[in-house]
Amino acid sequence: SLNERPALKQTIDQFYAKRGEAAPQATYGYLFDLVTNAYSTGWGSVVVMTNYNSMVKNHIVGYLVPKDANPGEEIAIDEWLNPYVVKYLDLGQAGLGDENGWLLIWSTIQDFGSGVLIYNTSGWYFAY
């Protein structure tokens, strides 16, 4: 439950607060409720982000939240996507330890495509 994950709850609450009329910084967002980075057993996750707009760079921000993180222990995500670019973000390289977590990302400019690829040493699996 969210009550057992204070960093995730705070991150989601802040996201919805930013969508209010007073501070509409968040436009389109994705919440991936379970991402894995269990390197010790051969598993990991890569986030795929795509900018569909041919004219405008897109700014993607958000947080990677390890499973047992407390508020303030989130890992910030801050990526710029050029037009028609696909970017791959390995969550291990982003700082997620040998554990599971949650990812909340959003655009400050326009819609974008996103998904998570889960892999292990024997191949790739599209998760969401």
Side-chain angles (χ1 to χ4, degrees):
S1 80
L2 286 179
N3 292 334
E4 297 167 356
R5 300 178 181 94
L8 178 64
K9 182 178 186 317
Q10 179 176 308
T11 301
I12 292 173
D13 290 348
Q14 288 173 345
F15 171 73
Y16 283 112
K18 287 181 180 181
R19 293 181 65 100
E21 290 182 12
Q25 294 98 335
T27 55
Y28 299 91
Y30 293 90
L31 172 64
F32 298 107
D33 62 353
L34 179 63
V35 291
T36 185
N37 198 52
Y39 279 151
S40 63
T41 57
W43 291 91
S45 296
V46 172
V47 178
V48 182
M49 297 175 285
T50 307
N51 181 0
Y52 295 123
N53 192 305
S54 64
M55 304 287 289
V56 179
K57 287 177 74 170
N58 201 352
H59 192 201
I60 311 300
V61 294
Y63 294 98
L64 176 59
V65 184
K67 181 178 66 173
D68 295 323
N70 289 311
E73 296 176 343
E74 308 88 355
I75 300 164
I77 303 296
D78 189 336
E79 299 284 341
W80 282 93
L81 299 178
N82 286 321
Y84 288 141
V85 162
V86 177
K87 186 172 265 190
Y88 299 91
L89 177 65
D90 186 304
L91 298 184
Q93 293 175 355
L96 183 64
D98 193 17
E99 60 192 320
N100 295 329
W102 292 262
L103 178 69
L104 176 64
I105 54 175
W106 63 90
S107 165
T108 62
I109 299 171
Q110 65 194 12
D111 198 5
F112 66 105
S114 187
V116 176
L117 296 172
I118 294 180
Y119 65 88
N120 75 3
T121 52
S122 66
W124 290 91
Y125 303 89
F126 182 73
Y128 1 13

